Amino acid sequence: MGRMKKNKPRHKLRGLHDASQRRSTKTRAAQIAWTPLKQACGCVVDWGWSSQSADPMTFTDWYTSRLTSACPWHTDPVTGASGAALPNELTLQPHGTGVLLHARKAAADRHELGGELATRLAHVLETARRGKLALLDDAPAGFRSWLIANTDDPAQAWLDHELCEIVLNQGRSALPRELLEHLPEQLRTSSAEGPQPESAACNICSFSAAEGGIRCACGHDWSCHPGKAGQGEPCSHCPCTDMQHV
């Protein structure tokens, strides 16, 4: 009769399982892009999304709708669970969608950014309510001229650009407003050269291409990759998981 292979001790199997679970949890967490927001109740919530279970437009719409709402922990219960009974991190599915989004109580070092983004978002939405002329008046002069020359709906393009920077890029700007204000004349009227990303959600990508800015191999501008350099930089607009300079 042949020799039987000796099984590993249970405690070692348990250790391997636990280590695997920790790696899996860490990987999932790294794939979620988080953006803080100060909400109507005064709490700051980190809202997150992953390209594996959501899309940037749905996340942008959801994040924008939260500005005048209370956080999940101060919302009147609709399923019998009070806010106090909810865990500090949640996964939710917005009604009528097939996507999953994430929410967590923001750490203290995220509160200031959450307040800044709320103020900026409120300004953009209020300007949009006043109409397209108000939106265009709010755009830097040089970039406004570029949008008028290169887009079918410059006011909507500016709104999309602002929401992209606030929501998807956590308030970071690809280019300083001073540069957009005084855009060189040759860039104001010339169309962007080279192939443009089909899934671009903002015009800063094509503008960056026009002036030879830093772009990823996926076609989007560097600011569309909110991850940390060298640790995987998932794109805000497409399934690209890491920025590759071109």
Side-chain angles (χ1 to χ4, degrees), residues 3-79:
R3 298 176 60 189
M4 297 182 64
K5 185 176 180 180
K6 186 176 180 181
N7 291 328
K8 288 186 178 181
R10 284 179 177 243
H11 71 278
K12 289 189 176 181
L13 291 176
R14 170 55 61 183
L16 290 172
H17 173 75
D18 291 344
S20 176
Q21 289 293 97
R22 287 193 295 270
R23 285 194 297 270
S24 178
T25 300
K26 185 176 180 180
T27 299
R28 288 195 300 271
Q31 293 172 341
I32 299 175
W34 299 95
T35 305
L37 179 69
K38 184 175 181 179
Q39 302 197 212
C41 58
C43 295
V44 178
V45 176
D46 252 339
W47 291 102
W49 73 286
S50 167
S51 60
Q52 295 179 336
S53 58
D55 62 88
M57 293 298 96
T58 300
F59 177 68
T60 298
D61 290 343
W62 174 261
Y63 180 95
T64 302
S65 72
R66 298 300 93 195
L67 181 64
T68 56
S69 302
C71 76
W73 296 271
H74 286 118
T75 301
D76 292 335
V78 293
T79 59

Side-chain angles (χ1 to χ4, degrees), residues 93-106:
Q93 182 176 8
H95 181 70
T97 73
V99 306
L100 295 177
L101 301 178
H102 306 271
R104 67 185 181 188
K105 294 182 178 180

